[in-house]
């Protein structure tokens, strides 16, 4: 892994912790691709039903097959494309340093832009973060289209975003992703399924250029309305690392509801320099 580099100021650190800092694309990272670019193509599995809702019998077998296949690839250190509640994403084991390197390489992503962590339950947040907000606040916002930025705990892999003490946490409001994270049993690194600086993806066809470097693509169908620019905004990113304060780092797709919960229900104040 590349040596740690300090962020310039608190806001830069917060932005970096969720992959929003600026930097050149295509930075080289140590390690190797787990699947070479010459691979003919990723295995494609389509979720039965709508994709976001757990399949019922007799389609349950297809749902279970997709979960087991994804977990097996993730445990082997591979990178998997997955649907979420906002966009299609790339997931890998946050505990596998080689897999983290593979994500950066295949996206052409700057190493100054860290990866978010996807978990399956609110209870898991306390293992991987130092939480300084009421549990009710977490449960009001998660699962949901938000990324909560908090101080990371020592439980996370030191090679995951080694240059910041913060981490962005996601629990997508998407049944497959919650099932996947719980079945995997550990933190997943998560980022959007697209080349860096290109538009985010709302269906699997939009990131076909990445398929040769992926081991598995889970097709959950189209996400949102592809004709609406708002659908490509991604999650609302909130810094909750300072007690009593919040900072909207990225407005995203859930800004109004999120700020209502933070201010009116829990009395948090926007920090200086917030997007509000």
């Amino acid at each position: 892994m590349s040596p740690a580099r300090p962020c310039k100021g608190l806001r830069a650190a917060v932005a970096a912790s969720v992959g929003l800092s600026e930097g050149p694309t295509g930075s080289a990272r140590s390690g190797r691709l787990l699947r070479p670019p010459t691979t003919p193509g990723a295995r494609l599995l389509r979720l039965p039903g709508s994709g976001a809702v757990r399949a019922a019998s007799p389609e349950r077998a297809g749902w279970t097959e997709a979960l087991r296949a994804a977990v097996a690839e993730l445990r082997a250190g591979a990178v998997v494309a997955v649907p979420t509640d906002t966009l299609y994403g790339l997931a890998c084991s946050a505990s596998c340093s080689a897999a983290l390197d593979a994500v950066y390489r295949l996206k052409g992503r700057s190493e100054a832009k860290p990866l978010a962590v996807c978990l399956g339950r609110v209870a898991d947040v306390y293992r991987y973060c130092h939480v300084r907000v009421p549990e009710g606040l977490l449960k009001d916002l998660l699962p949901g289209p938000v990324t909560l930025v908090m101080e990371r705990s020592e439980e996370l892999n030191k090679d995951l975003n080694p240059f910041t003490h913060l981490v962005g946490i996601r629990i997508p409001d998407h049944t497959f992703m919650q099932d996947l994270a719980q079945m995997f049993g550990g933190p997943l690194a998560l980022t959007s399924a697209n080349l860096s600086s290109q538009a985010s993806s709302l269906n699997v066809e939009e990131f076909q250029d990445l398929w040769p470097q992926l081991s598995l693509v889970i097709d959950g169908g189209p996400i949102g309305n592809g004709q609406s620019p708002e659908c490509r905004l991604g999650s609302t990113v909130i810094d909750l690392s300072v007690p009593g304060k919040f900072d909207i780092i990225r407005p995203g797709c859930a800004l109004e509801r999120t700020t209502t919960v933070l201010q009116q229900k829990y009395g948090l104040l926007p920090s200086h320099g917030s997007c509000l």
Side-chain angles (χ1 to χ4, degrees):
M1 300 290 290
S2 300
R5 294 202 299 266
C7 295
K8 296 181 180 179
L10 175 61
R11 188 174 178 81
V14 173
S17 73
V18 292
L20 296 174
S21 59
E22 296 299 326
T25 59
S27 298
R29 291 172 62 90
S30 62
R32 61 184 177 82
L33 278 174
L34 300 176
R35 296 292 188 273
T38 54
T39 301
R43 179 185 179 193
L44 179 68
L45 287 178
R46 290 184 173 86
L47 293 178
S50 68
V53 180
R54 186 179 292 109
S57 182
E59 294 182 318
R60 177 67 184 175
W63 184 275
T64 302
E65 178 192 4
L67 279 173
R68 289 176 175 171
V71 168
E73 294 291 348
L74 292 166
R75 288 178 177 168
V79 181
V80 175
V82 292
T84 76
D85 53 350
T86 57
L87 307 166
Y88 270 88
L90 301 178
C92 73
S93 170
S95 301
C96 179
S97 300
L100 299 174
D101 284 337
V103 170
Y104 279 92
R105 285 173 173 261
L106 69 89
K107 278 180 64 77
R109 184 181 178 90
S110 167
E111 63 182 41
K113 292 184 174 183
L115 307 172
V117 168
C118 176
L119 303 174
R121 301 172 302 176
V122 170
D124 298 330
V125 178
Y126 291 86
R127 178 176 178 182
Y128 300 106
C129 293
H130 297 294
V131 180
R132 295 186 173 90
V133 295
E135 183 178 12
L137 186 153
L138 296 184
K139 291 183 176 179
D140 279 340
L141 295 178
L142 300 173
V146 295
T147 300
L148 303 184
V149 180
M150 291 174 281
E151 184 179 351
R152 61 188 286 161
S153 79
E154 295 70 23
E155 288 286 324
L156 285 173
N157 179 6
K158 289 181 173 57
D159 285 337
L160 174 75
N161 313 335
F163 38 81
T164 176
H165 68 289
L166 304 176
V167 67
I169 297 294
R170 282 276 277 135
I171 303 180
D173 188 14
H174 192 285
T175 304
F176 180 81
M177 283 305 297
Q178 292 175 41
D179 285 357
L180 177 62
Q182 291 178 37
M183 182 179 288
F184 179 71
L188 296 173
L190 185 66
T191 185
S192 56
N194 58 290
L195 291 172
S196 287
S197 79
Q198 293 190 2
S200 51
S201 302
L202 299 177
N203 62 69
V204 295
E205 288 77 18
E206 291 182 341
F207 59 93
Q208 275 187 303
D209 288 350
L210 298 182
W211 287 18
Q213 298 179 70
L214 302 173
S215 63
L216 179 65
V217 174
I218 301 295
D219 185 357
I223 298 173
N225 177 7
Q227 303 303 313
S228 172
E230 289 77 12
C231 285
R232 297 184 190 270
L233 293 177
S235 62
T236 295
V237 182
I238 323 153
D239 172 25
L240 294 176
S241 63
V242 178
K245 304 281 188 178
F246 73 92
D247 190 2
I248 301 296
I249 301 301
R250 181 176 70 192
C253 63
L255 178 61
E256 184 176 354
R257 177 185 177 275
T258 300
T259 54
T260 297
V261 169
L262 295 174
Q263 293 181 289
Q264 296 185 12
K265 188 168 184 178
Y266 292 96
L268 270 64
L269 299 174
S271 63
H272 179 69
S274 181
C275 294
L276 295 181

